[in-house]
Amino acid sequence: RICPALCCARCGRAKRMSDQELYRETHRPQFHFSAQKNWINDPNGLVYYEGEYHLFFQHNPESVVWNNMTWGHAVSADLVHWKQLEHALFPDELGTIFSGSAVVDWHNTSGLQEGGEPPLVALYTSAGAHAPDPVPFTQSLAYSNDRGRTWTKFADNPVLGHIEGANRDPKIVWHDATDQWLMALYLDGSRYVLYGSPNLLEWNHLCDLDLPGVSECPDLFELPVDGDFNDTRWVYWGASGGYLLGHFEGTVYVPETEVLHAEQGPNGYAAQTWSDVPSDDGRRLQIAWMRGGKYPAMPFNQQMSFPVELALRSTSEGIRLCRTPVREIERLHAKAHSEKAVRLAPDAPFIPDVGDLLDLRFDLVPGQAEVFIMRIRGVDVRYDVKARLLSFLDASAQIEICEGRIPLQILVDRTSLELFAHDGQVTMSCCFLPEAAEHVLSFHAHGGGAQLESFQAYELNSSWL
Ligand code: FRU
């Protein structure tokens, strides 16, 4: 645990918070990561090593608004319970520490290993415009020889000089077939680029890419289609959840789609996937910043999404990237409310008696209903059956009815709702502040009857316990 001296958001006076008080605040997410105090944004440096998922994050150590970008650090054994550690990387004369990624350098290609274990190597942006004497944005390297506990900046930073604009957010991946490291990097506008390197230190340009309408925070990874490892695609991802599917043989990325969209919600941003998840697990795991949530009078600001597993699946529209919450959510399952089928007569709501932290799973069978509503703490998730349109606050998404139903999973925390329809084909990450409400949860059908099949509402324990 880092120092628990928190600044009281009201009076600005330093106040010591006990472990009991910390993470119990009114608007504190209970199963989503947030920093003990102050501002966070993008997840950075996601890497798995020796039983630990590392989560570094854009952090202002000094206040609840964006500034002084530093890499904060947390670790988890199960993607659910997080422990915040000392901050990892602080600003220097090359700039503040913007987003980037980390890898395990298994074969010591960088030569930075000291001792018997491979180094963890991080590539990040030195945001030169924010240096004491402003310089252009460049890409820098830092390494750790003690399982991420302490970090040393490379003596000859930057490792990649300025290319254009505020070029930033290097994401590194090992390409086995050509024995090289790849760096996906954001340039400017909707322009991205790929670099290659034998050793993480010297980088050569491979190709340029354009993702119209998308900017910042690239990711690049290969996934099997429908689980078939003989039929793979490379996903080139940008911050808003816009992505390309394509082929990559070692030099040039060849897109085979337009920009597709994996995120229909207003608050999922700058998602990144974990590097070095062991092959016997084999999952491609991702976490996002839930950009734009409101946390009035809290000592912290902003939260991460719940981690998801990614898969490419064939759909009627072509191959699509699907996202589903990691199965480790089950570690938090407490009381379960199960019903084989719940009949929703028009204007006669179903009101299960549940707590406010929920993993809801059911098939919505709209039947004759014109409108279906799930009211969660006074805020409506509304499905307009004719328009096939689901809306929540200002966000909406088109969701088709397949074989008469919409399979749904919905995670509800104190300040967020994440919705996954059709096994993650449609996903919406939404922040909200609950209203005063008579019931935590109720379901309503209007204009005709509907049904909820295989209804399961799992109450969740707090992950901070
Ligand atoms: C995305 C972003 C990145 C940048 C970082 C700065 O949210 O703007 O492009 O590296 O945040 O905090």
Side-chain angles (χ1 to χ4, degrees):
R1 290 262 164 96
I2 61 167
C3 169
L6 294 177
C7 208
C8 170
R10 282 247 176 98
C11 65
R13 255 188 311 128
K15 173 183 159 203
R16 275 199 103 67
M17 287 188 101
S18 68
D19 277 4
Q20 267 77 32
E21 288 176 289
L22 192 61
Y23 300 117
R24 300 281 193 283
E25 305 96 330
T26 318
H27 297 304
R28 174 73 78 171
Q30 292 297 301
F31 65 99
H32 288 77
F33 179 79
S34 55
Q36 290 191 350
K37 58 177 182 172
N38 293 328
W39 171 269
I40 65 169
N41 54 290
D42 313 352
N44 294 154
L46 303 182
V47 62
Y48 179 91
Y49 182 64
E50 288 290 313
E52 291 180 322
Y53 292 95
H54 291 266
L55 165 62
F56 299 87
F57 48 90
Q58 288 286 281
H59 188 40
N60 181 357
E62 289 165 33
S63 103
V64 290
V65 296
W66 185 93
N67 210 344
N68 309 311
M69 282 299 112
T70 295
W71 275 26
H73 188 194
V75 288
S76 171
D78 63 4
L79 295 163
V80 173
H81 299 89
W82 294 99
K83 184 175 178 223
Q84 193 171 340
L85 304 177
E86 299 293 336
H87 301 332
L89 295 170
F90 288 94
D92 56 36
E93 72 289 349
L94 291 176
T96 55
I97 315 297
F98 270 23
S99 287
S101 54
V103 291
V104 184
D105 185 9
W106 291 104
H107 302 294
N108 193 22
T109 61
S110 63
L112 294 169
Q113 179 172 334
E114 294 156 12
E117 285 192 66
L120 299 186
V121 176
L123 271 290
Y124 60 90
T125 298
S126 293
H130 303 279
D133 293 321
V135 285
F137 277 47
T138 53
Q139 317 311 320
S140 293
L141 183 150
Y143 58 98
S144 169
N145 276 297
D146 58 1
R147 296 167 47 249
R149 290 331 188 248
T150 58
W151 290 82
T152 307
K153 288 177 183 152
F154 184 56
D156 276 333
N157 275 336
V159 291
L160 182 61
H162 180 249
I163 304 161
E164 68 167 294
N167 48 197
R168 61 186 181 276
D169 310 336
K171 176 68 165 104
I172 310 301
V173 60
W174 174 251
H175 189 238
D176 220 19
T178 57
D179 248 6
Q180 65 177 329
W181 298 101
L182 303 173
M183 179 199 289
L185 187 72
Y186 172 62
L187 292 181
D188 203 3
S190 56
R191 287 187 303 289
Y192 290 81
V193 72
L194 259 186
Y195 276 72
S197 169
N199 55 12
L200 296 161
L201 305 172
E202 294 140 331
W203 292 94
N204 48 292
H205 174 267
L206 295 178
C207 68
D208 296 318
L209 285 98
D210 189 39
L211 277 76
V214 182
S215 63
E216 307 186 317
C217 300
D219 202 344
L220 177 69
F221 46 89
E222 187 181 20
L223 281 178
V225 179
D226 302 320
D228 177 1
F229 286 89
N230 295 316
D231 183 22
T232 66
R233 297 291 183 285
W234 283 81
V235 178
Y236 199 108
W237 171 280
S240 60
Y243 66 95
L244 299 172
L245 296 178
H247 291 276
F248 180 72
E249 309 298 344
T251 45
V252 185
Y253 181 90
V254 184
E256 64 172 38
T257 63
E258 308 270 273
V259 171
L260 304 166
H261 295 277
E263 173 62 71
Q264 308 295 328
N267 301 107
Y269 198 73
Q272 186 180 109
T273 62
W274 264 276
S275 185
D276 297 285
V277 173
S279 53
D280 60 352
D281 177 317
R283 289 177 297 172
R284 179 57 53 176
L285 303 166
Q286 186 189 55
I287 196 169
W289 166 32
M290 293 196 80
R291 177 169 73 165
K294 301 269 185 292
Y295 307 84
M298 292 292 103
F300 65 92
N301 195 358
Q302 306 297 293
Q303 71 180 74
M304 295 297 169
S305 70
F306 192 77
V308 293
E309 174 177 358
L310 304 180
L312 290 179
R313 293 209 194 96
S314 304
T315 76
S316 55
E317 294 173 337
I319 301 168
R320 292 291 180 272
L321 187 64
C322 300
R323 311 159 79 219
T324 45
V326 296
R327 58 175 178 262
E328 285 86 344
I329 185 85
E330 289 165 17
R331 289 170 175 255
L332 299 177
H333 280 182
K335 208 159 80 185
H337 303 249
S338 306
E339 307 267 356
K340 226 168 158 208
V342 178
R343 269 176 205 292
L344 274 184
D347 305 316
F350 167 52
I351 307 175
D353 179 19
V354 291
D356 61 355
L357 308 175
L358 292 164
D359 175 2
L360 301 168
R361 304 175 187 196
F362 58 92
D363 285 3
L364 168 63
V365 178
Q368 306 306 312
E370 286 166 14
V371 173
F372 163 78
I373 286 172
M374 183 184 99
R375 183 161 301 146
I376 176 77
R377 305 188 69 192
V379 187
D380 287 358
V381 174
R382 186 177 194 278
Y383 185 65
D384 180 327
V385 180
K386 208 157 140 206
R388 305 286 198 263
L389 196 71
L390 185 131
S391 44
F392 182 72
L393 298 169
D394 293 335
S396 57
Q398 204 70 36
I399 305 184
E400 293 309 319
I401 300 168
C402 300
E403 293 169 10
R405 66 189 58 231
I406 303 175
L408 288 167
Q409 184 175 3
I410 301 166
L411 303 183
V412 183
D413 201 341
R414 292 269 164 81
T415 51
S416 63
L417 180 145
E418 287 150 296
L419 182 139
F420 306 85
H422 293 299
D423 233 355
Q425 265 184 56
V426 182
T427 70
M428 289 176 85
S429 308
C430 309
C431 294
F432 77 112
L433 273 178
E435 306 276 340
E438 197 180 345
H439 305 291
V440 170
L441 183 64
S442 56
F443 296 88
H444 311 248
H446 299 297
Q451 197 148 296
L452 311 179
E453 291 188 0
S454 312
F455 179 85
Q456 286 175 310
Y458 296 99
E459 298 193 27
L460 300 176
N461 290 323
S462 168
S463 62
W464 301 119
L465 286 175

